[in-house]
């Protein structure tokens, strides 16, 4: 009898705790859901992993303030408005806004009292989170209005749904969804940056020209004359838009062609060098090793059937 009573009490306590952690105080929340996870050792070492994910629709204003938290946070504002304070700057937030921040930095976000917001979010870490965030922060302000908002929302909703359970398959699927989330964000800011760049159409023409002529002798002077742009302006704008110098772009295209010929042709190194625009095998080997860490001849040996 005592054992049965103890089991009933444990079940009641478990249900009570579940409701407590899944919900925010009823006084200011219309609807909410929160899931907290503890990653496995494998997830910590190899995957992106969820620390917390949730959904919240407020009745009134609410302030969340944190710092020194080893976590990255992505939040979508589904409705309503508010503000984010991050890196000593205040950012307005409204329906369609998104922010991506490093929670080691002090921050707070607060819903408007007159227009309480509805949010969906994920706190995550692991894998190459830091590198994704560094790339994002170098290209974008923490707050943006992404064109891919519907896809981001769908991904976060799936992430919240799948994390109602907790096992390795959930961790693997969650990692995949976090990658999808981050990829959507990076593609969005890359597209936005390209479209906003004043010379993006001209630079797209330059890149297309290089795609068609990269095996030919490369000359910045000739390229400058071809497109009626100064060498300085051409070099600066191409790198600003594509994150790579003109010379690096040409070399990368030549290396890619060399790989194909090394693997799928019987050409000699001299013939491959000439076909790719390197002109001699010695230069091909130097550039190949600089790019791939091995000489072109060694690459061919490793990939030969």
């Amino acid at each position: 009898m005592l054992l049965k009573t103890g089991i009933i009490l444990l079940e009641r306590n478990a249900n009570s705790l579940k409701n407590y952690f899944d919900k925010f105080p009823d006084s200011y929340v219309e609807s909410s859901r929160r899931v907290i996870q503890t990653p496995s050792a494998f997830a910590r070492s190899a995957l992106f992993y969820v620390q917390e994910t949730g959904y919240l629709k407020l009745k009134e204003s609410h302030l969340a303030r944190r710092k020194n938290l080893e976590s990255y946070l992505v939040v979508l504002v589904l409705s309503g408005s508010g503000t984010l304070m991050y890196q000593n700057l205040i950012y307005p937030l409204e329906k369609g806004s998104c922010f991506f921040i490093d929670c080691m930095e002090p921050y707070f976000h607060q819903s408007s009292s007159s227009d309480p917001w509805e949010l969906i979010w994920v706190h995550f870490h692991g894998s190459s989170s830091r590198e994704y965030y560094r790339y994002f922060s170098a290209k974008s302000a923490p707050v943006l209005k992404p064109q891919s908002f519907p896809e981001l929302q769908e991904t976060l909703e799936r992430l919240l749904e799948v994390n109602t359970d907790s096992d390795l398959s959930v961790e693997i699927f969650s990692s995949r969804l976090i990658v999808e989330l981050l990829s959507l964000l990076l593609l969005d800011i890359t597209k936005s940056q390209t479209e906003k760049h004043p010379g993006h159409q001209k630079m797209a023409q330059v890149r297309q020209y290089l795609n068609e002529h990269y095996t030919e002798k490369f000359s910045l002077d000739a390229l400058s004359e071809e497109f009626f742009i100064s060498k300085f302006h051409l070099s600066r704008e191409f790198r600003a838009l594509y994150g790579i110098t003109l010379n690096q772009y040409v070399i990368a295209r030549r290396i890619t062609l060399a790989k194909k010929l090394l693997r799928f042709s019987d050409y000699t190194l001299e013939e491959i060098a000439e076909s790719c625009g390197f002109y001699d095998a010695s230069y091909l080997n130097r550039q190949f090793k600089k790019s791939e860490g091995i000489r072109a001849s060694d690459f061919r040996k490793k990939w030969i059937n």
Side-chain angles (χ1 to χ4, degrees), residues 16-126:
S16 175
L17 282 173
K18 183 179 186 300
N19 290 336
Y20 177 78
F21 285 119
D22 279 354
K23 292 186 176 181
F24 295 80
D26 291 336
S27 61
Y28 62 84
V29 173
E30 181 176 327
S31 177
S32 70
R33 188 176 175 194
R34 186 202 299 267
V35 178
I36 296 172
Q37 292 283 29
T38 300
S40 66
F42 173 70
R44 287 185 188 275
S45 65
L47 303 176
F48 290 95
Y49 56 84
V50 170
Q51 297 166 312
E52 175 187 296
T53 182
Y55 164 84
L56 171 67
K57 187 172 184 180
L58 290 171
K59 295 178 183 177
E60 56 187 73
S61 180
H62 172 251
L63 171 68
R65 186 192 302 272
R66 295 186 180 90
K67 64 179 179 179
N68 298 325
L69 188 65
E70 291 188 5
S71 180
Y72 295 91
L73 173 62
V74 174
V75 176
L76 300 185
V77 182
L78 305 181
S79 65
S81 60
T83 56
L84 168 73
M85 190 288 292
Y86 183 66
Q87 296 178 332
N88 298 316
L89 293 173
I90 301 291
Y91 298 91
L93 299 166
E94 60 184 2
K95 180 180 178 180
S97 294
C98 168
F99 66 84
F100 179 18
I101 60 173
D102 178 358
C103 299
M104 287 298 291
E105 298 273 354
Y107 74 93
F108 73 74
H109 50 80
Q110 183 171 20
S111 174
S112 163
S113 57
S114 60
D115 187 22
W117 58 23
E118 177 185 15
L119 307 176
I120 189 166
W121 76 88
V122 63
H123 276 281
F124 69 94
H125 211 289

